[in-house]
Amino acid sequence: MMAGEVVMRTHTLSFIVVATFLHYVAFANHYHFIVKEASFERLCKSKEILTVNGKFPGPTLYAHKGSTLIVDVYNKGKYNLTIHWHGVKQPRNSWSDGPEYITQCPIQPGSKFRQKIILSDEEGTIWWHAHSAWARATVHGAIVVYPKPGTSYPFPKPHAEIPIILGEWWKDSVVDVLKEFTASGGQPMNSDAFMINGQPGDFYPCSKHGTFKLEVKSGKTYLLRILNAAMNEILFFAIAKHKLTVVGTDGSYTKPLTRDYIAISPGQTLDCLFKANQEPNFYYMAARAYTNGTNVQFDNTTTTAIVKYEGNYLISSLPYLPSYGNTPAAVNFSGSLRSLASKHHPISVPLKVKTRLVSTVSINLLPCPINGTNVTTCQGPNGTRLSASMNNISFLTPTYNILEAYYYHIKGVFGTKFPSFPLYVFNYTADVLPLELKLPEFGTQVKVLEYNTTVELVLQGTNLVTGLDHPMHLHGYNFYVVGWGLGNFDEKQDPQNYNLVDPPRRNTVAIPRNGWIAIRFRADNPGVWIMHCHIERHLTWGMRTVFIVKNGHRPEERIFSPPQDMPPC
């Protein structure tokens, strides 16, 4: 059995998890992903879903820090597909990053693509998922990156390690949900359930028999590798009567942070220790949504799993979870995280910034399209269509991928005029804003960065249409979250309070509702890298842009040549 592998034993009414932790085993470095339809039953209803190797969630990949994996992706499904390795920086290798029409054209049904996964300084839990349409709802899985052989964790070795994958489930086909949502111009249908490791839990119909169960021994410490694969919701998560100690985020270590609950955004991972130090019993772990937008629909159900001490007991009560709209609970948790910043796990925060950027992130409105002589009715506010933007530009997906267009100097695929600052300066978080500010422009605009420049990017949330949290993910990089706040960013006052000593190192960070986040990174990874909101409806509406990082002067500072089997457009 591989290090950290979870072995499932089927019982009449449940799945019991037994996990053992072994070091110094030979990891596979070549995987085969066969993407195909498979039938799964949840919530009293069977449906065909897209899977990898027939598994949901998909297989966990295991690796050591600095290793390289090869994954052959075979598309045996009905639709175009790409796979993204979320949190892998892929140095000089945008070719295998995965977002469709950004770094590759999709893998067409009946075709395959060999992807090279180059790990560098990632260590901890990251993940992989589909990056085309809404396929990631069911096509996703964990990546566990262990320390290099001969080195160890910066915390005591746990008794066992368990991936905890949070997700969403629709009774209807996700393809149909997407089609209806994009056609209506309104919000997508709410999911019917949240899930823990592919199971909704005890409080949903026809679900109790499959509830995920984790068997523990009194006095032992366990490492939960938690990732949020949900499509549209930030989630609170907790275990009844047990505390969680965060020791890692997004493939980087943190100073230990002990809390009764965590808040985790779509795209983020958290490595959490918990000790089985309560009276032997059955205890619920649970997750539910955090959302605080006005007139925003969301799934208000609660998913559960069970921590089962050895023996036969009754199940305890649910853990405390903050209320759905508890912004202080969410932002105070995330704002308390700090990088480990130790001798063996140093960080390198850019102290001098050469390139300063500011981008608004907004929900927008569009007029309903005219059908002949009639104006159709859309389901956005006042009959409009909902949209989204960065710096008031709603991103248009090209029909040919940007990376190849850049590499081969093909014109007409993208422009290079993404603004360095908002085109319109206004009170971004005011309660009432003019209608004309809510209408975005459209374009496939990118931002070009010089190799090795140091970048500070301030992401400013706005109250256009409604203020919301936006978990923003940058491909190809980890960045340092040096500052955050509520309200409008003050370029004179707020930088004085930046944390440049031990800021958290992330690849996905949530901009708080009507607030801002300041991140810094060094642009030392040449290639084409998308930045986007990881709430899927916002991504669909156009909340994304692309950074092109130019080559450096030395051979080792230049993007690799493309593989021979790049999928054609």
Side-chain angles (χ1 to χ4, degrees):
M1 183 170 64
M2 287 183 172
E5 187 173 0
V6 176
V7 177
M8 306 299 292
R9 295 182 178 178
T10 304
H11 289 247
T12 303
L13 295 176
S14 65
F15 289 106
I16 304 296
V17 176
V18 181
T20 59
F21 179 77
L22 302 173
H23 257 324
Y24 311 116
V25 298
F27 290 97
N29 61 4
H30 194 165
Y31 291 86
H32 296 271
F33 275 17
I34 299 174
V35 183
K36 60 182 180 180
E37 300 281 341
S39 180
F40 279 75
E41 182 177 338
R42 298 289 186 272
L43 310 180
C44 315
K45 181 179 179 181
S46 294
K47 71 170 183 176
E48 295 285 311
I49 65 170
L50 203 59
T51 67
V52 170
N53 300 345
K55 297 181 178 181
F56 173 68
T60 298
L61 305 186
Y62 297 90
H64 284 296
K65 180 180 178 180
S67 59
T68 296
L69 307 178
I70 301 295
V71 182
D72 288 322
V73 180
Y74 300 82
N75 185 1
K76 296 189 176 182
K78 302 175 184 177
Y79 306 99
N80 288 344
L81 181 91
T82 65
I83 301 289
H84 167 54
W85 316 96
H86 186 118
V88 180
K89 292 198 287 188
Q90 294 279 28
R92 304 168 57 199
N93 188 37
S94 295
W95 305 105
S96 285
D97 189 48
E100 67 175 350
Y101 298 112
I102 306 297
T103 62
Q104 69 173 85
C105 295
I107 308 167
Q108 298 172 17
S111 301
K112 69 176 284 284
F113 179 36
R114 171 167 289 187
Q115 294 185 258
K116 180 183 288 188
I117 318 307
I118 302 175
L119 297 167
S120 52
D121 60 359
E122 304 89 353
E123 189 172 330
T125 307
I126 48 182
W127 63 302
W128 60 266
H129 60 81
H131 212 299
S132 45
W134 278 30
R136 81 169 177 90
T138 57
V139 179
H140 58 251
I143 304 174
V144 175
V145 184
Y146 288 105
K148 289 182 177 180
T151 65
S152 61
Y153 296 145
F155 48 81
K157 185 176 72 173
H159 177 68
E161 305 183 15
I162 306 94
I164 299 293
I165 300 175
L166 308 176
E168 284 184 272
W169 184 268
W170 281 263
K171 290 182 181 179
D172 293 340
S173 160
V174 175
V175 174
D176 292 340
V177 172
L178 175 58
K179 287 180 179 178
E180 189 278 333
F181 152 60
T182 53
S184 74
Q187 300 179 59
M189 179 191 306
N190 290 338
S191 57
D192 294 292
F194 293 115
M195 294 179 295
I196 297 175
N197 286 353
Q199 294 291 343
D202 282 4
F203 299 104
Y204 296 92
C206 306
S207 299
K208 194 168 184 176
H209 67 284
T211 298
F212 177 80
K213 294 181 175 64
L214 170 62
E215 186 174 287
V216 299
K217 295 181 179 180
S218 290
K220 299 296 185 181
T221 299
Y222 296 82
L223 177 61
L224 303 184
R225 297 183 173 274
I226 306 170
L227 69 89
N228 186 351
M231 298 288 280
N232 289 314
E233 304 298 348
I234 300 171
L235 296 171
F236 289 120
F237 173 89
I239 301 175
K241 298 185 179 180
H242 293 75
K243 292 185 180 294
L244 295 167
T245 299
V246 181
V247 292
T249 62
D250 293 359
S252 297
Y253 292 120
T254 65
K255 290 180 172 64
L257 177 69
T258 301
R259 290 289 187 269
D260 292 326
Y261 62 86
I262 62 171
I264 183 167
S265 298
Q268 291 182 334
T269 66
L270 290 170
D271 290 332
C272 297
L273 296 171
F274 89 96
K275 191 169 185 178
N277 58 3
Q278 297 300 305
E279 180 181 351
N281 208 330
F282 288 2
Y283 295 91
Y284 276 121
M285 62 174 76
R288 73 178 179 199
Y290 157 67
T291 187
N292 58 8
T294 303
N295 296 322
V296 176
Q297 302 171 6
F298 68 99
D299 182 343
N300 64 0
T301 62
T302 300
T303 180
T304 57
I306 295 171
V307 172
K308 178 185 182 299
Y309 281 70
E310 291 180 317
N312 294 310
Y313 307 100
L314 298 174
I315 297 178
S316 76
S317 60
L318 287 166
Y320 165 77
L321 292 170
S323 59
Y324 300 114
N326 193 333
T327 295
V331 299
N332 289 340
F333 167 78
S334 299
S336 298
L337 294 166
R338 299 288 184 270
S339 285
L340 185 57
S342 67
K343 176 182 177 181
H344 296 293
H345 300 281
I347 61 174
S348 181
V349 185
L351 300 180
K352 294 183 178 180
V353 174
K354 293 183 180 179
T355 302
R356 295 186 183 275
L357 306 171
V358 178
S359 178
T360 55
V361 287
S362 304
I363 303 299
N364 301 98
L365 297 178
L366 298 171
C368 219
I370 297 175
N371 182 11
T373 58
N374 298 317
V375 178
T376 59
T377 301
C378 295
Q379 294 181 11
N382 299 316
T384 61
R385 293 185 66 85
L386 288 164
S387 181
S389 66
M390 296 182 65
N391 267 349
N392 205 45
I393 297 177
S394 188
F395 192 86
L396 285 179
T397 303
T399 56
Y400 189 83
N401 79 80
I402 292 174
L403 175 57
E404 289 189 73
Y406 167 67
Y407 188 84
Y408 293 114
H409 307 287
I410 300 171
K411 294 183 178 181
V413 176
F414 63 90
T416 58
K417 295 182 178 180
F418 183 81
S420 297
F421 299 95
L423 298 176
Y424 307 104
V425 177
F426 56 96
N427 182 358
Y428 305 114
T429 59
D431 290 335
V432 179
L433 291 167
L435 177 62
E436 57 267 24
L437 292 174
K438 301 179 183 181
L439 300 174
E441 299 178 8
F442 288 92
T444 308
Q445 299 295 333
V446 310
K447 186 66 183 177
V448 179
L449 299 174
E450 295 294 326
Y451 179 80
N452 215 33
T453 189
T454 49
V455 180
E456 177 177 300
L457 170 60
V458 175
L459 295 161
Q460 173 70 59
T462 79
N463 201 36
L464 292 173
V465 184
T466 185
L468 291 169
D469 296 71
H470 298 290
M472 301 300 293
H473 172 48
L474 176 59
H475 291 218
Y477 287 89
N478 280 338
F479 49 75
Y480 296 99
V481 184
V482 296
W484 67 275
L486 301 177
N488 297 324
F489 175 73
D490 186 322
E491 63 181 13
K492 293 182 179 180
Q493 296 297 321
D494 287 325
Q496 297 179 24
N497 298 316
Y498 280 177
N499 175 10
L500 302 178
V501 177
D502 58 355
R505 193 166 178 251
R506 309 300 301 256
N507 61 56
T508 307
V509 64
I511 306 167
R513 179 180 185 267
N514 290 339
W516 58 271
I517 290 283
I519 67 173
R520 288 187 180 183
F521 62 96
R522 182 178 294 275
D524 56 1
N525 189 10
V528 172
W529 310 106
I530 189 173
M531 185 176 206
H532 63 88
C533 185
H534 224 277
I535 290 178
E536 209 69 15
R537 64 182 185 271
H538 300 167
L539 173 62
T540 303
W541 287 334
M543 191 177 286
R544 47 184 163 158
T545 190
V546 170
F547 291 103
I548 293 182
V549 180
K550 295 166 68 173
N551 286 328
H553 298 296
R554 295 182 293 182
E556 64 271 22
E557 298 171 348
R558 303 180 67 85
I559 189 173
F560 288 129
S561 299
Q564 294 182 349
D565 64 339
M566 287 295 295
C569 285

